[in-house]
Amino acid sequence: QVQLVESGGGLVQPGGSLRLSCAASGSISMDGMAWYRRAPGKERELVATIVDDDDTTNYVDSVKGRFTISRDSAKNWAYLQMNSLKPEDTAVYYCNAHRIGWSGRIDYWGRGTQVTVSS
């Protein structure tokens, strides 16, 4: 069974930076990884994805130019570098990984790490 563990969250002042990490256990190769977030009172939001052998990336408009997703495919690790953080980035950030099996897409989730942007 694959388990995802996030780390790197915390409290940061507006304009600051954080780097989130996600480690996926096991030796199963993932086809893609992503970061989601859920802010208080809001729906879960897809923040960034990285997929395919060429590591194609996509971002929600609100983080473009500020966040960067990357991964180490050999280790099944994913990262989210967050710069120029804003109070509206405050949320629980969740790591997601997926692979395409014979039965279709299989998703795995971490338990989340809290990011708080406040002065």
Side-chain angles (χ1 to χ4, degrees):
Q1 182 72 356
V2 176
Q3 292 185 331
L4 304 183
V5 178
E6 303 98 336
S7 60
L11 173 64
V12 63
Q13 292 187 343
S17 298
L18 283 175
R19 187 186 192 221
L20 304 183
S21 298
C22 172
S25 65
S27 59
I28 300 174
S29 179
M30 298 296 162
D31 294 298
M33 301 185 79
W35 289 93
Y36 288 73
R37 66 185 179 187
R38 186 191 299 272
K42 295 187 176 181
E43 297 293 319
R44 186 177 64 189
E45 176 184 45
L46 176 59
V47 177
T49 63
I50 184 165
V51 297
D52 299 330
D53 292 339
D54 60 357
D55 284 348
T56 301
T57 59
N58 280 288
Y59 301 90
V60 67
D61 286 346
S62 60
V63 307
K64 285 181 179 177
R66 300 188 298 121
F67 290 12
T68 302
I69 186 171
S70 60
R71 70 171 173 171
D72 182 335
S73 298
K75 297 181 179 179
N76 271 345
W77 281 67
Y79 307 93
L80 187 67
Q81 178 66 44
M82 305 185 294
N83 299 326
S84 302
L85 282 161
K86 305 175 181 180
E88 51 264 42
D89 295 318
T90 295
V92 178
Y93 284 72
Y94 298 90
C95 179
N96 166 270
H98 81 268
R99 63 184 181 91
I100 308 300
W102 62 270
S103 60
R105 175 171 168 147
I106 302 171
D107 283 274
Y108 304 93
W109 294 92
R111 293 188 175 184
T113 184
Q114 176 70 46
V115 171
T116 302
V117 185
S118 175
S119 55

